[in-house]
Amino acid sequence: MRRTALAVALLALVAVPVARASEDHPTSLEVQEELYCDDCQTTLADASAVSWTPAAISQIQQMISDGYKKSQIKQTVAKKYYGHLEVLPAKPEGNRPTLADLEGEVMCPVCNTTLDQSSSPEARRIEALISARIAAGDSKSEIKDVLVAEYGPSILAAPPKKGFNLLAWLPPFVALFGGGLVLGLLAWRWSHTREPRPPAAQLSPALERRVDEELARYDEG
């Protein structure tokens, strides 16, 4: 128990400076991922290049250079582009997905390709749903759960190999193993049920002499 408590305390001490560093010295990407673009229905980091996005990103970079904190930058930029940008809550680094993180892991049910390779309207609708869940603060696993609930496990490019989903990976191996087992049993039965061939008949010595005499008489005649 003491070791566990000590480990938790050490992790807390490490996490606080990291979070503080992210707030006091953010990167442009960190700020962009915490601003939601209403025009593009995604974060500013994944937004398409509408007319105002380059200017917004430039302002973010300038404010970082001037030493502003992340929360100050987000509030200032969102206020300037009111109606286009909204401030998202800061999330732990490992729990903050982007649309790009999920596009290669989610399938388009129309094209049977991943979203990043599809241009169908359905793929765009799913991307909008993902972006909305990102804006709501969902983690990657939570977003995938939402997609599976709506579309089924096939919506994921690689279904998790656990629980009932594991059954999808078993049939080929079961068929291969079962087929080999059946062939082996059939071969074993065939080898053990063949009737033995009767041995060649053996002539008695007397009969062999008579045969030889008849052959000799045939040759003389």
Side-chain angles (χ1 to χ4, degrees):
M1 287 293 293
R2 289 182 178 179
R3 290 183 178 180
T4 303
L6 180 59
V8 172
L10 289 174
L11 286 174
L13 289 174
V14 171
V16 170
V18 171
R20 191 72 259 168
S22 178
E23 168 65 17
D24 293 341
H25 306 287
T27 65
S28 177
L29 181 60
E30 286 176 340
V31 178
Q32 292 176 48
E33 287 179 344
E34 294 180 13
L35 288 170
Y36 186 71
C37 172
D38 289 322
D39 297 343
C40 306
Q41 294 294 296
T42 185
T43 62
L44 181 59
D46 294 315
S48 57
V50 292
S51 59
W52 53 267
T53 54
I57 294 173
S58 177
Q59 181 179 1
I60 290 170
Q61 294 169 340
Q62 183 60 52
M63 293 187 71
I64 290 173
S65 298
D66 292 341
Y68 284 91
K69 296 181 179 181
K70 181 166 62 176
S71 57
Q72 293 173 323
I73 299 172
K74 291 193 299 181
Q75 293 293 339
T76 301
V77 175
K79 184 177 181 180
K80 180 175 181 179
Y81 294 94
Y82 178 77
H84 300 285
L85 287 178
E86 296 179 23
V87 175
L88 297 177
K91 298 190 68 179
E93 193 66 31
N95 210 27
R96 187 172 52 197
T98 64
L99 179 59
D101 291 335
L102 285 152
E103 282 182 321
E105 300 178 16
V106 176
M107 299 293 292
C108 170
V110 176
C111 308
N112 291 322
T113 61
T114 53
L115 296 182
D116 55 359
Q117 298 178 356
S118 173
S119 58
S120 72
E122 184 63 18
R124 301 289 79 81
R125 194 181 82 82
I126 296 173
E127 288 179 347
L129 172 61
I130 292 172
S131 298
R133 299 316 308 171
I134 292 173
D138 288 359
S139 66
K140 181 187 285 190
S141 61
E142 290 171 336
I143 294 171
K144 286 185 176 181
D145 289 343
V146 170
L147 293 173
V148 169
E150 182 168 346
Y151 293 94
S154 61
I155 193 67
L156 302 183
K161 301 178 185 179
K162 62 181 180 180
F164 289 105
N165 290 319
L166 182 61
L167 297 177
W169 300 83
L170 292 180
F173 299 101
V174 172
L176 182 62
F177 176 77
L181 183 61
V182 170
L183 289 176
L185 289 173
L186 290 175
W188 182 85
R189 289 188 60 185
W190 179 78
S191 65
H192 285 74
T193 56
R194 288 187 305 168
E195 295 183 359
R197 299 178 66 179
Q202 299 291 329
L203 298 178
S204 65
L207 186 56
E208 285 185 359
R209 283 197 300 272
R210 286 190 60 183
V211 171
D212 291 340
E213 290 172 359
E214 291 296 331
L215 289 174
R217 189 178 303 165
Y218 176 79
D219 291 338
E220 290 177 356

